[in-house]
Amino acid sequence: MKNQLKSMSRRHFLASTGAIAGTALLNPSNLNAEELSSTAALTKKTKVALIGTGSRGCGMWGRDLVKRYSDQLEFVGLCDINPGRLAFGKEYIGASCPTFTDFEKMMADTKPDLLIVTTVDATHHEFIIRGMELGANVLTEKPMTIDEQKIQAILDAEKRTGKNCRVTFNYRYSPHRAKIWEMLRAGEIGELTSVDFHWYLDTSHGADYFRRWHRLVEKGGSLWVHKASHHFDLLNWWIDSDPETVFGLGSLEFYGKNGPFRAENCRTCNHTKDCNFFWDVTKNDYYRKIYVENEKYDGYLRDGCVFKNDVNIFDKMAASISYKNGVQVSYSLTTYSPYEGYRIAFNGTKGRIDAWIQESKPVSDANYDEIVLFRNFKKREYIHIPHGTSGHGGGDALLQDQIFIPNTPDPLKQCAGARDGALACLVGIAARKSIASGQPVKIADLTSVKPEANKQYTRIV
Ligand SMILES: NC(=O)c1ccc[n+]([C@@H]2O[C@H](COP(=O)([O-])OP(=O)(O)OC[C@H]3O[C@@H](n4cnc5c(N)ncnc54)[C@H](O)[C@@H]3O)[C@@H](O)[C@H]2O)c1
């Protein structure tokens, strides 16, 4: 299959990366006069601003970057609406930059090259769009946003401003999933025809989504978008094509109003002895400092009750998805499983790939993940992939390296831009709409993104 690589012009490359790649990537003797005159651009660090100093902003996109990439970047501003969490974030991240509770002021005062967006999902679009309008490239956490109108606004802003929006799909970078991509591209099972993909969230991590803002569709787009956009991006990348039609089913029958009792949060609950979901957030020093001590500013309860009546997302979901290249997918997401992980099978004209990951409570001490390759009429083959050492199966650190280490190649096409971010969200948005109408929903009817048989890949350097 022929993949189209969207490349940036050389000038756009220099402008957009500042000097991330400058000295290491470019040989000055190859530069033209205009580029040489801008020698400062070859030595200066990328100016990074971050909005959303919650867990993700403080950790992977804060402290980790200061520790690992201080030669390439410097934080110039941190912003959050919660002044207490912002102060904690500055200390935890270890940045010496100013902090802001006003986003516009941060952008005006600091003029970053790169804006990192790690706020509540429903607010991402505001900062992505304004960030690009104010001259920064953007790196946003998934999901890029939560509905089709906001997707369109982001795509329009990218076009209008000439800036780019990268979406941090860390799941693509886990070695196990990368190996599957390579096997599919190498034609190990012939032509891919269908995928069975079933994801299980457990009663610890899965339940956690029902404690926080994620339990409200207006904040996270429901788990169809907040969580499953990870899975839909993987499918789009593995299948190497765009999703075309989605039929969804879903219900809420375990958490929220279904619980036997409820309270505002665990610390104020009368049922702590009877409730399997009781969790004392104050026992975790980090959570106490970042969340509990800052509740007084915004009322954000990290230990909210999973049985609150206002939960309005599904806890059981299934979808049938057809792709433009003819592949069909059976997908499901269960949120109250005894273990966390997934089962996946790729069916092809010459065989089948099976993989099973158990992320929590592993059944064995093996330090590898397994893929089984079945070739029709031949013996099966077991492939063992060593566990990665960083978060999300080793994917987090590999993603960071690709973004911040100069000249890192992208042979597995793991870099994801706004089109990828849009398509990953659109499958979940289509599933939501399908449940509401009882009808299949066409991706092409939602935004200006028109599904193509051969996936378009984005390269942002
Ligand atoms: N890729 C992954 O595997 C992964 C893992 C965890 C979180 N995430 C994503 O990271 C983002 C943040 O998640 P989190 O777990 O850190 O959440 P969080 O609730 O801990 O942090 C969100 C922060 O955003 C701030 N905020 C909310 N609205 C704001 C606004 N209008 N202006 C400024 N600040 C605002 C909040 O005060 C809070 O500090 C989410 O989009 C989530 O989907 C991704």
Side-chain angles (χ1 to χ4, degrees):
M1 266 179 219
K2 214 174 117 206
N3 294 312
Q4 294 171 309
L5 285 178
K6 192 174 113 189
S7 58
M8 301 167 87
S9 72
R10 183 175 167 79
R11 181 197 295 243
H12 189 172
F13 164 77
L14 281 170
S16 65
T17 57
I20 279 187
T23 35
L25 178 57
L26 299 174
N27 176 350
S29 62
N30 295 335
L31 299 179
N32 64 32
E34 185 193 349
E35 291 162 355
L36 266 177
S37 72
S38 167
T39 42
L42 293 178
T43 50
K44 78 170 197 232
K45 294 181 182 181
T46 297
K47 294 197 294 173
V48 177
L50 178 141
I51 178 146
T53 56
S55 294
R56 200 68 176 158
C58 282
M60 177 165 179
W61 299 115
R63 190 186 222 185
D64 284 8
L65 299 192
V66 169
K67 271 194 186 157
R68 299 182 61 207
Y69 308 99
S70 277
D71 289 347
Q72 276 90 24
L73 59 87
E74 62 177 323
F75 275 95
V76 294
L78 298 173
C79 181
D80 200 287
I81 35 168
N82 184 312
R85 195 152 40 247
L86 182 58
F88 168 83
K90 177 171 171 166
E91 199 188 323
Y92 184 84
I93 291 169
S96 52
C97 62
T99 57
F100 302 83
T101 48
D102 179 338
F103 174 72
E104 294 282 332
K105 179 158 170 51
M106 174 173 82
M107 293 301 289
D109 286 6
T110 67
K111 300 190 175 40
D113 302 311
L114 181 71
L115 172 70
I116 300 181
V117 179
T118 48
T119 52
V120 170
D121 302 349
T123 65
H124 287 179
H125 69 293
E126 292 171 33
F127 306 117
I128 295 171
I129 294 170
R130 263 322 261 160
M132 292 194 289
E133 284 174 354
L134 295 169
N137 287 315
V138 175
L139 184 152
T140 183
E141 257 303 351
K142 53 51 58 177
M144 187 170 82
T145 185
I146 62 162
D147 65 36
E148 67 275 28
Q149 289 82 9
K150 297 180 179 68
I151 289 175
Q152 192 61 57
I154 292 170
L155 297 173
D156 293 346
E158 194 180 44
K159 212 166 168 187
R160 190 170 70 239
T161 60
K163 295 291 165 186
N164 60 60
C165 172
R166 184 197 285 260
V167 185
T168 59
F169 282 124
N170 47 343
Y171 278 31
R172 289 191 191 187
Y173 290 77
S174 97
H176 181 252
R177 299 180 193 126
K179 180 68 184 174
I180 292 174
W181 188 88
E182 289 181 297
M183 290 168 71
L184 291 168
R185 294 296 83 74
E188 296 281 18
I189 57 167
E191 199 74 22
L192 178 65
T193 56
S194 67
V195 185
D196 315 322
F197 192 11
H198 305 289
W199 198 286
Y200 311 104
L201 294 169
D202 67 13
T203 46
S204 167
H205 180 232
D208 215 30
Y209 291 112
F210 294 83
R211 296 184 192 283
R212 301 172 279 163
W213 49 264
H214 314 65
R215 73 185 189 283
L216 302 171
V217 68
E218 58 274 24
K219 298 274 188 190
S222 82
L223 294 178
W224 273 123
V225 173
H226 175 80
K227 185 68 191 174
S229 61
H230 264 314
H231 312 152
F232 298 140
D233 178 67
L234 283 175
L235 284 168
N236 300 347
W237 174 64
W238 276 325
I239 293 170
D240 200 27
S241 183
D242 292 340
E244 195 177 24
T245 309
V246 182
F247 180 77
L249 297 170
S251 53
L252 172 67
E253 54 189 30
F254 186 86
Y255 298 108
K257 62 181 185 322
N258 302 290
F261 36 65
R262 56 196 44 78
E264 183 63 14
N265 62 326
C266 285
R267 277 166 292 157
T268 59
C269 183
N270 294 324
H271 307 278
T272 56
K273 290 208 169 48
D274 312 316
C275 185
N276 288 323
F277 294 94
F278 170 66
W279 174 54
D280 185 352
V281 62
T282 61
K283 290 218 164 110
N284 180 314
D285 200 43
Y286 173 74
Y287 281 158
R288 196 173 41 73
K289 286 186 182 146
I290 190 170
Y291 296 114
V292 177
E293 289 178 7
N294 300 309
E295 280 168 7
K296 54 183 177 282
Y297 298 106
D298 58 9
Y300 178 10
L301 299 172
R302 183 63 185 75
D303 63 341
C305 177
V306 299
F307 296 132
K308 268 168 92 165
N309 278 320
D310 67 354
V311 172
N312 65 0
I313 59 170
F314 305 108
D315 56 18
K316 179 180 90 172
M317 289 145 273
S320 294
I321 310 160
S322 67
Y323 277 72
K324 192 73 182 176
N325 67 356
V327 171
Q328 60 189 45
V329 172
S330 302
Y331 170 84
S332 74
L333 177 60
T334 306
T335 59
Y336 39 83
S337 170
Y339 67 83
E340 177 132 340
Y342 59 95
R343 288 174 183 272
I344 191 158
F346 298 86
N347 303 294
T349 50
K350 294 185 180 164
R352 169 178 162 109
I353 294 170
D354 270 77
W356 175 32
I357 295 278
Q358 191 165 322
E359 288 180 342
S360 61
K361 305 179 190 131
V363 273
S364 81
D365 294 334
N367 60 354
Y368 58 79
D369 296 319
E370 191 169 77
I371 299 172
V372 190
L373 172 60
F374 298 83
R375 290 195 183 88
N376 292 351
F377 317 111
K378 292 188 184 151
K379 273 190 155 179
R380 71 184 65 173
E381 200 180 307
Y382 295 90
I383 297 147
H384 290 169
I385 313 295
H387 287 154
T389 48
S390 71
H392 295 97
D396 287 0
L398 293 171
L399 165 65
Q400 289 168 326
D401 284 354
Q402 189 170 77
I403 297 171
F404 294 108
I405 294 187
N407 207 14
T408 302
D410 186 22
L412 309 187
K413 300 185 175 24
Q414 287 154 305
C415 174
R419 189 176 192 276
D420 303 88
L423 281 163
C425 295
L426 284 169
V427 180
I429 293 166
R432 265 183 358 220
K433 287 180 174 292
S434 172
I435 293 169
S437 68
Q439 298 298 317
V441 172
K442 287 196 179 312
I443 297 290
D445 292 344
L446 300 177
T447 66
S448 62
V449 178
K450 299 304 166 216
E452 293 181 18
N454 295 337
K455 181 171 167 52
Q456 279 184 31
Y457 286 94
T458 306
R459 180 87 177 108
I460 301 171
V461 287

